[in-house]
Amino acid sequence: MARYFSIFLLFISFTLTAQQIKSPSEFLGYELGTEFTRHHEVVDYYEYLAEMAPDRVKLTVYGQTNERRPLLLAYVSSPENIANLESIRQEHLKDTEGTGNLSKAIVWLSYNVHGNESVSTEASMQTIYELLTNKSAYLENTVVIMDPCINPDGRDRYSNWYNQYKNTPNQVDPNSKEHHEGWWSGRSNHYMFDLNRDWAWLTQKESQQRLKVYNEWLPHVHVDFHEQGVNNPYYFAPAAEPYHEVITDFQREFQVTLGRNHAKYFDANGWFYFTKEVFDLFYPSYGDTYPVYNGAIGMTYEQGGSGRAGLGIITAIGDTLTLKDRIAHHFTTGLSTVEVSSQNATRLNEEFRKFYKNQNFKYKSYVLKGDADKLNALKSLLAKHKITYGDLSNGTYKGHHYATGSNGSMSLNNNGMVVSTNQPKGTLVQVLFEPNAKLSDSLTYDITAWSLPYAYGLDAIATTSLVTAQASQSDAKTTNIDKGSYAYLTDWNSMEDARFLAALLKEGIRVRKADRPFVIDGNSFDRGTLIITKGDNEHKSNFVDMLQSTANTFQKEITPVSTGFVDSGKDFGSSYVQMIEKPKVAVLSGEPTSTLRFGEIWHFFEQQLHYPLTVIDSEYANRVDLDEYNILVLPDGYYGNHFNEDQLSELKDWVRNGGKLIAMGGAIDAIDGEKGFGIQKKKLENDEEEDIEPKPYEDWERERIKSAITGAIFKTKVDNTNPLAYGYGQNYFTLKLGSRGYDYLKGGNAVYLEKNAKPFSGFAGSEAQKQISESLIFGTENVGRGQVIYMVDNPLFRGFWENGKLFFANALFMVE
Ligand SMILES: [Zn+2]
């Protein structure tokens, strides 16, 4: 009787709660789908749910965006599971070590990573409400973790914009302003980064904070909700080829299981959808692949809509697509995902354990060597992924040698580390480190190469036998420098060095650079060495204290010298030892620059170099006096004939008078040979007609990719006597993102491709390879008293190509 009574009570309390909880429409005061809900209102609704059902919803704030919006996670499950949430998490994580015994499914739903794909957050509110009311049975054996908005800054940018420009009532005519968002769209985050390209590189604040929690949970299933063009039917997994070869049979199979369940609901409603096309599983920095490489079933769902759709829009076939329709579709797949996961909880746990037991890796260890700053940068990234590593001080290692792309050996001398695959994160280690990921199909959505040793500028050996680490020694250094010295010297070969220099310049300390190698007191110093003299800094009474504390902040070793008289090379008073001019930087933004490429520069200055920039919008750039700046950066973009004759001659005059113009990617076309500067687009030598063979019409896509390079790594030659290449060795591995080719410059070829260069990693089509044979990568051109710096490839791409960033710093500080 007592037992009966308590069940009865439980039933009563449950139905009461269910009745009391307001739906999103009831809570917000408008029918869901008739307005865009702003982020603070979304936060209010989730807080309301956590208050109304504290036994079933645990709400946490895991971070904050650049614009100070809160980032939320809601844990939704049965009262019993919520009460035991921490022990469920710990038991689940034991599975990565092969000792866990969990039988509950963990499903993570991520909404609105692209801010203007604005339906997702709306759908999340309907989904959590349904889970707490009609579908609470799923939660008995399932923990659902919901992130209602990964990118609140972008989403509010879109919804605020839409609210300002929408017609009342909304206008479904696609020509209306409310369907044309413009340059500063809501897709990306504050710094215009695409957060769905950042899961592996963690350059952005949102990703760093989210991945910390993600790696504390490692869910069985992860869904990333997106939107695509207005006219596309819904897309859900199974994904398209290429699949990365580490993806297991079960991961493939379960994508199909989920897809079939979604299809059942879509069929019943007569909704259109497609699977197995367009969205592949290869590049590791997506919201589907990263979870997959961490043992989850990772999926992308794509609704038709995005920033064009507004509250309603007429599609190409004459239907009206409404926000309500879009919500219904994402709501359906979200719930269907939880349903299938709940039905397969036991299997998901078994297979997750198997995934982490895998030791079937071709390479057992990756041995890396290089500059301590570069090793530290890599270590910091690995720690964020919970990848373990160890130090190696000496020895000779054999295996695949990254520098040559073939078998070889490499010796260490106190400057190495090792990352092995015999750890829970072994699969992720393989994906991030292997020299050349196997591509099952070259038709892919994204870059095909990212191998970290190349990205971080480290030499490396991949070994087929396990290399064990040696004991790590702490290398925190504090410098105590002699106050009476004539000058203080420090090397120049990493981003950390650039940050150090930027900090000194901001403090008003004057710094010189060596344009020739020299020897002093028996120590050798390379080009680019920073020389900070007492004589230059007599205006600063506490100059040595400032120098010392800045050196400690950046862990820089400083060599004091008591004379400016060198053993060999140029003395410190020579014209080969010039004062570094303090940069006053302007960066063009707006049309015709690319939002992503502009954002990378913006983020580089503010969040990586910590140095101020002035952002100039192209709309009023004409009215800006360029003489207030000594550096102008033109980001990559689609310039065409953006600059008229007058603007071009003004630009040329400014450079002639000592300005430094940095032209990146497509910006080069805005100023190239025909427009008055020295760079020329390559013309193919063998342009005579080849015999044309008829090809089947349906093969056009495959024919087209012969001219494409989808992000491949090439080995280039470096002239490190050019200030643009100070701090680099004889070779540099560049991430080539397209087949755009320019001839060598008459002088100033700092980095270039030799004849018939082949990719070391990733895909490059046969025609594209001809196009870039013997072409410029980075170069400088003297024009009057100024300089033009050409960056054909993008050293700041997605902020992750660590070893390219010093080129950009050289352009700012070393080139004169
Ligand atoms: Zn998207």
Side-chain angles (χ1 to χ4, degrees):
M1 182 68 195
R3 187 161 168 261
Y4 175 75
F5 185 69
S6 70
I7 288 173
F8 180 71
L9 263 187
L10 198 72
F11 179 74
I12 294 245
S13 77
F14 173 67
T15 41
L16 271 181
T17 325
Q19 277 165 359
Q20 282 166 359
I21 292 180
K22 288 181 187 168
S23 71
S25 300
E26 286 163 343
F27 180 85
L28 296 164
Y30 50 82
E31 195 186 349
L32 199 68
T34 62
E35 297 279 352
F36 284 107
T37 312
R38 291 194 299 274
H39 189 63
H40 71 92
E41 298 169 310
V42 177
V43 173
D44 287 349
Y45 185 58
Y46 274 81
E47 281 176 349
Y48 161 78
L49 294 176
E51 217 167 275
M52 290 300 286
D55 56 338
R56 293 181 297 143
V57 179
K58 185 179 175 241
L59 189 67
T60 60
V61 177
Y62 68 85
Q64 203 179 51
T65 66
N66 290 293
E67 296 172 17
R68 292 186 293 102
R69 291 185 178 83
L71 294 161
L72 300 185
L73 277 179
Y75 299 84
V76 191
S77 197
S78 67
E80 195 197 335
N81 292 338
I82 290 294
N84 296 307
L85 206 53
E86 180 55 18
S87 58
I88 290 173
R89 186 184 75 81
Q90 287 181 11
E91 190 63 25
H92 172 58
L93 279 195
K94 282 187 200 160
D95 281 346
T96 66
E97 310 274 358
T99 59
N101 188 27
L102 191 71
S103 57
K104 297 182 199 302
I106 297 162
V107 180
W108 185 305
L109 306 175
S110 289
Y111 293 90
N112 238 125
V113 58
H114 292 139
N116 62 358
E117 297 171 7
S118 50
V119 63
S120 301
T121 295
E122 310 288 343
S124 89
M125 291 188 282
Q126 190 67 40
T127 306
I128 188 171
Y129 176 71
E130 192 73 1
L131 285 171
L132 290 172
T133 54
N134 299 318
K135 301 292 183 194
S136 59
Y138 298 163
L139 302 178
E140 290 305 314
N141 70 343
T142 305
V143 175
V144 182
I145 305 173
M146 295 178 74
D147 188 330
C149 190
I150 286 186
N151 177 16
D153 289 352
R155 191 174 187 281
D156 263 4
R157 191 185 315 139
Y158 172 74
S159 48
N160 289 332
W161 172 86
Y162 182 80
N163 287 337
Q164 288 168 42
Y165 289 99
K166 80 183 262 288
N167 292 104
T168 305
N170 65 294
Q171 175 56 267
V172 294
D173 177 357
N175 289 326
S176 201
K177 168 80 178 167
E178 68 183 72
H179 304 296
H180 296 270
E181 209 185 345
W183 188 83
W184 206 288
S185 84
R187 176 183 169 89
S188 45
N189 76 345
H190 174 79
Y191 280 108
M192 313 304 271
F193 267 66
D194 184 335
L195 294 178
N196 192 33
R197 303 292 185 279
D198 195 44
W199 281 68
W201 320 133
L202 301 177
T203 65
Q204 298 302 297
K205 197 177 176 186
E206 293 89 344
S207 319
Q208 290 160 8
Q209 297 171 108
R210 187 179 69 255
L211 266 285
K212 188 169 182 299
V213 192
Y214 187 91
N215 274 302
E216 285 165 3
W217 274 96
L218 296 173
H220 295 114
V221 174
H222 179 264
V223 181
D224 211 30
F225 290 90
H226 287 262
E227 286 192 273
Q228 49 184 337
V230 162
N231 299 314
N232 290 328
Y234 199 93
Y235 163 83
F236 48 75
E241 291 289 341
Y243 278 53
H244 195 288
E245 63 173 339
V246 299
I247 297 173
T248 67
D249 290 345
F250 171 72
Q251 286 174 318
R252 287 171 175 257
E253 177 202 317
F254 203 76
Q255 284 214 334
V256 178
T257 309
L258 281 156
R260 286 201 186 282
N261 202 60
H262 304 341
K264 188 180 77 187
Y265 293 112
F266 275 58
D267 290 344
N269 283 293
W271 296 336
F272 282 94
Y273 54 87
F274 68 98
T275 66
K276 304 181 284 287
E277 290 177 70
V278 187
F279 303 101
D280 59 66
L281 290 175
F282 195 61
Y283 173 72
S285 209
Y286 285 133
D288 52 13
T289 46
Y290 183 90
V292 165
Y293 303 149
N294 284 278
I297 313 301
M299 281 161 306
T300 292
Y301 297 164
E302 297 265 358
Q303 166 61 38
S306 301
R308 276 213 79 196
L311 290 175
I313 190 169
I314 303 213
T315 65
I317 56 166
D319 287 341
T320 302
L321 174 70
T322 66
L323 182 59
K324 283 187 197 172
D325 299 330
R326 291 151 65 200
I327 294 173
H329 304 159
H330 268 349
F331 167 73
T332 301
T333 52
L335 279 181
S336 167
T337 303
V338 181
E339 179 186 27
V340 175
S341 305
S342 164
Q343 287 163 353
N344 293 276
T346 311
R347 178 95 199 271
L348 283 170
N349 276 284
E350 285 165 8
E351 294 290 342
F352 186 83
R353 256 165 248 147
K354 265 193 228 166
F355 180 93
Y356 276 88
K357 245 182 231 155
N358 176 33
Q359 288 299 327
N360 184 26
F361 301 106
K362 179 181 175 190
Y363 295 118
K364 301 287 188 266
S365 293
Y366 297 92
V367 177
L368 302 118
K369 82 165 179 183
D371 177 75
D373 288 343
K374 291 178 183 174
L375 289 171
N376 285 338
L378 179 61
K379 285 174 183 175
S380 145
L381 177 71
L382 298 182
K384 290 180 188 133
H385 290 298
K386 298 208 178 230
I387 291 172
T388 58
Y389 53 82
D391 287 345
L392 277 181
S393 54
N394 48 48
T396 298
Y397 301 91
K398 288 197 178 76
H400 178 93
H401 192 193
Y402 285 67
T404 61
S406 54
N407 272 338
S409 68
M410 182 180 85
S411 296
L412 292 184
N413 178 23
N414 263 329
N415 55 349
M417 65 182 274
V418 57
V419 187
S420 296
T421 47
N422 70 335
Q423 59 172 308
K425 291 282 188 144
T427 301
L428 188 61
V429 170
Q430 178 187 329
V431 171
L432 296 180
F433 282 86
E434 66 188 330
N436 199 355
K438 190 175 152 198
L439 195 58
S440 64
D441 189 327
S442 45
L443 279 182
T444 166
Y445 203 68
D446 214 291
I447 63 170
T448 54
W450 48 79
S451 183
L452 287 182
Y454 293 127
Y456 278 72
L458 297 165
D459 197 8
I461 289 271
T463 67
T464 51
S465 57
L466 188 69
V467 174
T468 42
Q470 294 149 6
S472 158
Q473 71 269 58
S474 153
D475 56 355
K477 13 179 198 283
T478 37
T479 311
N480 263 315
I481 53 181
D482 178 8
K483 292 205 173 181
S485 301
Y486 179 85
Y488 305 90
L489 314 180
T490 178
D491 64 355
W492 178 260
N493 46 30
S494 72
M495 249 320 270
E496 198 65 1
D497 299 339
R499 274 188 277 274
F500 172 66
L501 173 60
L504 293 180
L505 294 179
K506 278 193 295 183
E507 286 170 27
I509 293 177
R510 292 185 185 143
V511 183
R512 291 175 185 259
K513 65 185 172 82
D515 283 320
R516 292 286 183 276
F518 63 93
V519 178
I520 191 164
D521 296 343
N523 295 318
S524 303
F525 291 89
D526 271 337
R527 288 184 169 87
T529 295
L530 303 181
I531 300 171
I532 306 142
T533 68
K534 198 167 135 192
D536 282 332
N537 288 289
E538 267 162 5
H539 62 292
K540 293 245 167 224
S541 56
N542 57 346
F543 141 72
V544 181
D545 294 333
M546 287 167 80
L547 178 63
Q548 177 155 318
S549 87
T550 312
N552 287 339
T553 304
F554 294 91
Q555 291 284 294
K556 286 293 297 174
E557 232 168 302
I558 303 278
T559 307
V561 289
S562 56
T563 172
F565 190 96
V566 297
D567 305 343
S568 72
K570 303 289 178 188
D571 295 328
F572 297 170
S574 154
S575 63
Y576 293 98
V577 180
Q578 288 288 332
M579 186 85 79
I580 295 172
E581 191 177 8
K582 193 173 175 180
K584 187 111 192 337
V585 183
V587 180
L588 190 69
S589 75
E591 301 285 358
T593 72
S594 144
T595 55
L596 294 169
R597 305 293 86 90
F598 161 72
E600 286 156 2
I601 297 164
W602 183 15
H603 185 263
F604 175 84
F605 276 102
E606 288 185 357
Q607 300 296 329
Q608 301 178 57
L609 188 64
H610 307 294
Y611 195 85
L613 77 164
T614 298
V615 176
I616 294 180
D617 197 280
S618 56
E619 278 193 9
Y620 62 85
N622 252 342
R623 304 197 295 275
V624 172
D625 179 7
L626 272 185
D627 290 338
E628 291 180 31
Y629 308 93
N630 52 26
I631 295 181
L632 173 65
V633 185
L634 302 179
D636 190 6
Y638 315 94
Y639 286 71
N641 290 317
H642 175 74
F643 297 121
N644 63 33
E645 293 275 315
D646 288 350
Q647 290 166 323
L648 277 171
S649 74
E650 199 189 320
L651 209 51
K652 265 180 264 175
D653 286 345
W654 175 78
V655 177
R656 257 185 230 118
N657 289 327
K660 208 156 44 171
L661 179 64
I662 304 177
M664 303 180 75
I668 296 172
D669 290 344
I671 59 162
D672 69 5
E674 285 137 48
K675 302 189 180 79
F677 290 93
I679 194 164
Q680 297 282 352
K681 206 176 244 163
K682 266 182 87 75
K683 294 188 185 69
L684 276 190
E685 286 160 21
N686 299 327
D687 255 357
E688 71 247 28
E689 290 202 8
E690 289 173 36
D691 292 340
I692 295 173
E693 304 231 359
K695 303 264 167 55
Y697 176 76
E698 66 172 3
D699 287 351
W700 67 271
E701 230 180 340
R702 303 213 168 261
E703 283 301 310
R704 202 184 53 180
I705 64 164
K706 285 186 182 167
S707 313
I709 296 177
T710 43
I713 298 170
F714 285 79
K715 186 177 186 173
T716 65
K717 290 289 276 185
V718 175
D719 170 10
N720 58 17
T721 66
N722 186 316
L724 187 56
Y726 284 176
Y728 286 91
Q730 300 297 316
N731 299 107
Y732 167 72
F733 288 91
T734 192
L735 179 63
K736 215 150 181 47
L737 298 160
S739 53
R740 194 194 295 269
Y742 295 90
D743 287 329
Y744 294 155
L745 298 167
K746 291 202 181 87
N749 297 289
V751 181
Y752 53 94
L753 277 172
E754 294 181 298
K755 203 176 169 89
N756 299 328
K758 298 266 178 287
F760 263 52
S761 184
F763 174 79
S766 50
E767 288 302 313
Q769 291 187 29
K770 287 183 204 163
Q771 190 70 40
I772 59 164
S773 176
E774 293 182 291
S775 73
L776 181 76
I777 304 295
F778 303 131
T780 54
E781 182 188 355
N782 289 309
V783 179
R785 288 191 285 121
Q787 289 272 354
V788 184
I789 293 148
Y790 301 105
M791 295 197 152
V792 177
D793 288 356
N794 180 5
L796 306 182
F797 182 68
R798 294 181 189 165
F800 92 102
W801 203 258
E802 198 59 33
N803 195 34
K805 294 174 184 172
L806 189 65
F807 285 115
F808 200 86
N810 281 333
L812 300 177
F813 300 118
M814 294 289 156
V815 176
E816 59 185 319

